[in-house]
Amino acid sequence: MLRPPARLAPVDGLRGVAAVMVVLTHVYRAVNEPSLGLLSRALSSFGSGVDLFFVLSGFCLYYPLTKPDAVFDAREFFRRRARRILPPYYAAMLAVFLLPILLEPLARQAGLVTFAPDAITWRQIWTHLLMVHTLFPDTMFGIDGPFWTLGVEAQFYLAFPLAVWLVHRFGWRGVGMMAGLTIAYRLGVSNLAHGALAERYLGSGNGSLDVKADFFLGHWLEFALGMQTARLVRTGALTHIARWLEILALAAIVGVYVGAQVFLAGAPDRWLLPVTDPLYGLAFSALLLLACHEGSLSHRMLSRRVPVWLGTISYSLYLVHLPILSALGPSVLAPHLPILVALILMGALGIPVAVAAAAVFFWLFERPFLVARRPAAERSGSTWESNPPATPFSAAQRF
């Protein structure tokens, strides 16, 4: 049996892939989601990068606890998570508030098209500071749309001791219990919604419905599949895979992913049902398992420098990319170029600027909290296990 490596570079690579998927969806939204046939469908579907992040979150948090001698210390867990997540998050909140005030006069002088940002209320501020903004329809997507998933992440953290107990006590059956709770919860939300709302109100974008469906129980299945994948990787469940078999597995993963998109293309209320999320969870956890096998093609591709680097800065990229794309959007649309040209221009301008800004933000506000205040022995042998990454999420609205 192969011993799993302490540093799982392809996990960082997958985080980079997920971040790029989400950024591409927001590039598309920054030019008002034009109708471009299959291209529109593909760009919209890349918002499922957030589901990949949910799987990665379960994996990243639980993998260090799969070691035989691992002991879960809840106090230390919460301390580390707060130190890892909160400083960059609060810095991003401050930037979202201050940068429009500082940059709008410069943009006007440069002849760029600008727009007045939404006013930020005290209710938005205190709910976001406490990370409870996802519990209220009027604050869920406030300040900066991507922040909603950090509220879900905070709920994952609060429930993590229970998740650890379930999986340690019952193994794969504990994972099944978490998945079952998600399915039951989402079915309950769907049934209540259908009983109270007309069909036109059952689509994504209904604030009250988003709050209910996006409570952590609505996504715990994907998180649980990430935990189960961590167990499989630790035990070396996938010790050998022939190249032809991996290619077939990758084709099956793509097929499941496309099947989720086909299901979503139906009635507007289908996002409520526990169908698409389980399909995403199965596809992404299978891809994660393949990527963690050192002999696989997936491992080699995702361990390359670019995806790993993007994964390293992906939390910062999540925090800063949408305000940048939203600010560039009016100027890109102002000349009334053909919409495909505008989309390409938006990507050509917005993606490099967002990545560069994320790299600077990472060095200023995220990197200082990665290794500081850790024991010298741990710093000298710093690994992915001893410093699991912040798992970013991103969405301007419900994907």
Side-chain angles (χ1 to χ4, degrees), residues 364-381:
L364 291 177
F365 301 110
E366 187 177 354
R367 189 174 184 274
F369 298 94
L370 292 178
V371 296
R373 295 185 184 178
R374 291 196 292 139
E378 184 177 324
R379 288 199 300 271
S380 64

Side-chain angles (χ1 to χ4, degrees), residues 189-211:
V189 170
S190 179
N191 288 336
L192 287 174
H194 280 86
L197 298 172
E199 184 175 351
R200 65 181 180 274
Y201 296 119
L202 294 176
S204 173
N206 181 316
S208 178
L209 203 51
D210 285 329
V211 166

Side-chain angles (χ1 to χ4, degrees), residues 298-319:
S298 306
H299 181 97
R300 291 207 302 270
M301 295 299 294
L302 290 167
S303 298
R304 293 182 183 274
R305 182 175 300 178
V306 172
V308 169
W309 180 75
L310 286 172
T312 301
I313 68 166
S314 58
Y315 182 45
S316 293
L317 182 58
Y318 147 69
L319 291 171

Side-chain angles (χ1 to χ4, degrees), residues 13-91:
L14 270 176
R15 293 168 64 229
V17 169
V20 169
M21 290 172 65
V22 171
V23 169
L24 287 173
T25 291
H26 289 158
V27 166
Y28 174 61
R29 288 179 178 167
V31 292
N32 298 329
E33 303 182 71
S35 178
L36 297 170
L38 288 178
L39 180 59
S40 294
R41 187 63 196 168
L43 290 172
S44 296
S45 74
F46 287 154
S48 59
V50 75
D51 298 273
L52 175 52
F53 279 136
F54 282 129
V55 173
L56 289 171
S57 182
F59 182 97
C60 291
L61 294 181
Y62 189 63
Y63 183 72
L65 297 175
T66 58
K67 293 185 291 186
D69 58 344
V71 177
F72 179 61
D73 184 336
R75 179 179 297 181
E76 180 67 8
F77 169 78
F78 288 121
R79 185 191 71 81
R80 285 203 174 200
R81 287 291 88 192
R83 181 175 176 80
R84 183 69 179 87
I85 296 293
L86 292 180
Y89 170 59
Y90 290 152

Side-chain angles (χ1 to χ4, degrees), residues 265-301:
D269 63 333
R270 287 193 173 185
W271 71 280
L272 275 174
L273 298 172
V275 175
T276 304
D277 295 350
L279 291 178
Y280 283 150
L282 290 171
F284 291 141
S285 58
L287 178 59
L288 178 57
L289 182 61
L290 284 175
C292 289
H293 176 54
E294 289 193 57
S296 70
L297 178 64
S298 306
H299 181 97
R300 291 207 302 270
M301 295 299 294

Side-chain angles (χ1 to χ4, degrees), residues 2 48 55 88 115 134 158 170 187 192 239 262 295 318-319 385:
L2 296 177
S48 59
V55 173
F115 65 95
T134 57
L158 292 175
F170 300 104
L187 285 174
L192 287 174
T239 57
V262 171
Y318 147 69
L319 291 171
E385 286 188 5

